[in-house]
Amino acid sequence: MKVSRSWPLRVLLAVLLLFVVPVGVALSRHLSDDSRPGDWRNARHDSSGQAPDPRHTPEALIQVYAARAFGWRGIFGVHTWIATKDSDADRYTRLEVVGWGVSRGIDAVRIHYGEADGYWYGSEPTLIRQLRGGAEVDALIRRLHEAARAYPHSHEYRLWPGPNSNTFTAYLGRAVPELHLDLPPTAIGKDYLPQGGVFASAPSGGGVQFSLAGLLGATIAAEEGIELNLLGLSLGIDLSPPAIKLPGVGRVGMSDVD
């Protein structure tokens, strides 16, 4: 039986289409969404009603959120952050990286009190991971805060391919693997390995990741499944729970929120 010599080209074309077509779908959705704010000064930042009231929640809590980035950036990706609340604390602390002000000498890492589940410039966030408990969760929170203060790119921010907000969240996931953090494929920058790294554990803490400056790479892990990264865009298959991961579109399948 003859094997066509053109099959590698066909496979390559199919893979490229799997990266391009979903981005086109995301662009169409973005352009047809009239609810997105046009002015960042008037955009919502209030609670989306997903996080428990800290004043009536004595247990320790860690939540990880993702929300579409503001403006045209939201076509391709999301902004992610981690919110923590110690046992008996009456407010949440947000751990995130923000690019505004970095060029003026302001740290990219922001550790501050705020709405755990606040809208991100008008975009409603999605809860992608949470842990609740007592002393064991308090210990994880301390480790998260220590890792955030030790982030090696605290004075640096680059929208693409990183280091950015998603690079930071992925870094915290590796620092505290008990989170089993599976970031969405739209978290552009999660595949940028800090300090020019090429190999690392996956953001979930299990499995392995290979990346060339966040532009080309792959991840194989129990939480993430199999992911390919091309120019910051991620395409993959997840088996736990089953889902397809598409660039621009995100996760299509069962939710993996604990």
Side-chain angles (χ1 to χ4, degrees):
M1 185 174 99
K2 288 186 177 181
V3 178
S4 173
R5 294 181 180 178
S6 64
W7 73 265
L9 183 60
R10 293 178 180 177
V11 171
L12 177 61
L13 180 60
V15 171
L16 290 176
L17 286 174
L18 286 172
F19 276 97
V20 173
V21 172
V23 172
V25 173
L27 173 60
S28 177
R29 289 180 178 177
H30 179 85
L31 294 176
S32 62
D33 186 0
D34 296 330
S35 65
R36 299 183 65 84
D39 190 337
W40 62 269
R41 291 167 294 189
N42 301 324
R44 294 180 63 177
H45 290 277
D46 57 303
S47 171
S48 59
Q50 300 179 69
D53 186 336
R55 296 167 298 180
H56 303 110
T57 307
E59 62 187 334
L61 183 62
I62 299 172
Q63 292 189 319
V64 186
Y65 287 94
R68 285 284 172 175
F70 180 74
W72 63 267
R73 294 177 290 272
I75 300 171
F76 303 95
V78 297
H79 169 77
T80 59
W81 67 91
I82 296 180
T84 67
K85 188 195 78 66
D86 294 316
S87 295
D88 299 319
D90 60 1
R91 53 185 173 177
Y92 289 98
T93 299
R94 285 173 58 132
L95 310 175
E96 61 191 323
V97 153
V98 177
W100 301 299
V102 174
S103 62
R104 302 192 303 272
I106 300 175
D107 281 356
V109 176
R110 313 290 167 88
I111 302 175
H112 60 101
Y113 295 122
E115 297 286 0
D117 58 349
Y119 282 79
W120 179 252
Y121 289 90
S123 294
E124 183 176 5
T126 298
L127 177 64
I128 58 177
R129 181 69 82 235
Q130 72 171 347
L131 290 178
R132 305 176 71 149
E136 71 283 358
V137 177
D138 281 316
L140 296 181
I141 291 173
R142 289 193 294 272
R143 287 169 53 194
L144 280 171
H145 283 244
E146 290 171 0
R149 289 190 291 269
Y151 180 59
H153 297 287
S154 60
H155 303 294
E156 181 183 1
Y157 181 92
R158 187 166 56 234
L159 179 65
W160 176 87
N164 58 24
S165 63
N166 300 317
T167 308
F168 174 69
T169 305
Y171 167 84
L172 294 182
R174 296 187 191 94
V176 185
E178 291 87 345
L179 283 179
H180 301 291
L181 184 57
D182 182 6
L183 291 174
T186 47
I188 294 176
K190 68 182 177 64
D191 298 306
Y192 183 95
L193 300 182
Q195 297 179 299
V198 177
F199 292 98
S201 62
S204 65
V208 294
Q209 182 174 18
F210 159 75
S211 180
L212 296 176
L215 298 173
L216 178 66
T219 300
I220 301 176
E223 291 287 341
E224 286 93 345
I226 300 174
E227 289 187 10
L228 300 177
N229 169 40
L230 178 64
L231 301 179
L233 301 175
S234 292
L235 172 70
I237 298 175
D238 195 350
L239 299 177
S240 179
I244 298 174
K245 298 180 176 182
L246 298 173
V249 173
R251 184 184 178 92
V252 180
M254 296 179 64
S255 171
D256 65 345
V257 178
D258 291 338

